[in-house]
Amino acid sequence: ETGVTQTPRHLVMGMTNKKSLKCEQHLGHNAMYWYKQSAKKPLELMFVYSLEERVENNSVPSRFSPECPNSSHLFLHLHTLQPEDSALYLCASSQEMRFVQYFGPGTRLTVT
Amino acid sequence: GQQVMQIPQYQHVQEGEDFTTYCNSSTTLSNIQWYKQRPGGHPVFLIQLVKSGEVKKQKRLTFQFGEAKKNSSLHITATQTTDVGTYFCAGNQAGTALIFGKGTTLSVSS
């Protein structure tokens, strides 16, 4: 499946680093999502964008900053992360918000 | 706020046994979706149920949507080792994003 791609697939960063996660969808969808998946909270919705506007921000710390420059691309900018932020970060897209979501392969993030 | 609860959290079965996971919502849902995530993979859409009382089958998998549109179940008949993974239900009300349950992780021993 190559409908939703994510880069990088693996990332190790120190707590003082700044990095960005990239997501691209080739499905012509209008909604895009960032999820955090860890052992304790399997699928945590972080941000939702619909037609390039942020429509949901589920109490995510400001050290995570999303950006949606167009309907095909979604970024998650990371800075001064904590070790507990280590997780799998999944991007997904859907035609509209309540429709079926297609997930990317995820970025495995480790914060040291 | 809306919550989607899923039980059990973990289930281990012998190959050939049946398996069921249950999903319950605190509110009436417009639809419910089921996803499967294989170990090391990402969630992949399985099916969507929209109508009250709806039942759909995919080979050995049977999906049900409750009459009140507040609960759903996934039943696997005669599990195989290829069924291992985490099964998530996800529901929403009109105009909102999907809310995922915490998933049921199925392990199968041969």
Side-chain angles (χ1 to χ4, degrees):
Chain A
E1 300 174 13
T2 56
V4 181
T5 57
Q6 288 185 247
T7 54
R9 295 293 307 276
H10 300 272
L11 178 62
V12 180
M13 59 186 289
M15 290 191 284
T16 57
N17 290 159
K18 288 185 180 181
K19 296 285 184 183
S20 295
L21 309 184
K22 179 183 176 182
C23 175
E24 184 173 359
Q25 60 98 356
H26 311 273
L27 302 168
H29 289 166
N30 291 319
M32 295 187 78
Y33 313 79
W34 279 117
Y35 289 89
K36 176 184 177 182
Q37 188 173 43
S38 59
K40 291 184 179 179
K41 292 188 179 181
L43 268 176
E44 256 182 288
L45 179 63
M46 300 175 73
F47 301 105
V48 181
Y49 277 83
S50 178
L51 297 171
E52 299 153 47
E53 265 193 47
R54 192 190 312 179
V55 294
E56 278 194 42
N57 175 349
N58 289 338
S59 304
V60 179
S62 59
R63 57 186 184 269
F64 295 92
S65 174
E67 179 190 1
C68 187
N70 54 62
S71 60
S72 299
H73 293 86
L74 186 64
F75 295 89
L76 188 61
H77 304 298
L78 317 170
H79 64 98
T80 57
L81 294 192
Q82 305 297 312
E84 60 265 29
D85 297 322
S86 299
L88 180 68
Y89 288 84
L90 290 160
C91 173
S93 72
S94 65
Q95 189 176 355
E96 293 178 24
M97 265 182 24
R98 60 187 173 86
F99 283 31
V100 173
Q101 293 187 13
Y102 294 83
F103 285 81
T107 295
R108 175 67 62 185
L109 174 67
T110 303
V111 181
T112 60
Chain B
Q2 182 186 352
Q3 290 188 352
V4 175
M5 310 299 290
Q6 202 172 342
I7 56 169
Q9 188 174 357
Y10 300 98
Q11 182 78 59
H12 177 80
V13 299
Q14 295 287 324
E15 191 172 22
E17 292 182 337
D18 292 356
F19 158 78
T20 305
T21 172
Y22 300 91
C23 185
N24 291 287
S25 168
S26 55
T27 57
T28 301
L29 300 170
S30 59
N31 68 72
I32 196 152
Q33 300 171 15
W34 285 91
Y35 293 76
K36 177 183 178 180
Q37 184 173 18
R38 294 181 186 273
H42 57 275
V44 175
F45 171 75
L46 292 177
I47 208 159
Q48 177 174 275
L49 304 170
V50 178
K51 299 176 184 176
S52 169
E54 189 170 13
V55 178
K56 286 189 177 181
K57 292 190 175 185
Q58 286 181 350
K59 298 183 180 178
R60 295 177 294 103
L61 277 60
T62 301
F63 304 84
Q64 292 188 322
F65 200 10
E67 294 289 341
K69 300 184 74 173
K70 284 188 173 183
N71 56 73
S72 180
S73 64
L74 158 58
H75 179 83
I76 302 178
T77 304
T79 54
Q80 300 176 358
T81 54
T82 53
D83 295 325
V84 298
T86 300
Y87 293 85
F88 293 97
C89 64
N92 64 357
Q93 298 173 303
T96 66
L98 284 177
I99 304 292
F100 280 82
K102 292 193 173 183
T104 296
T105 299
L106 172 65
S107 58
V108 180
S109 54
S110 56

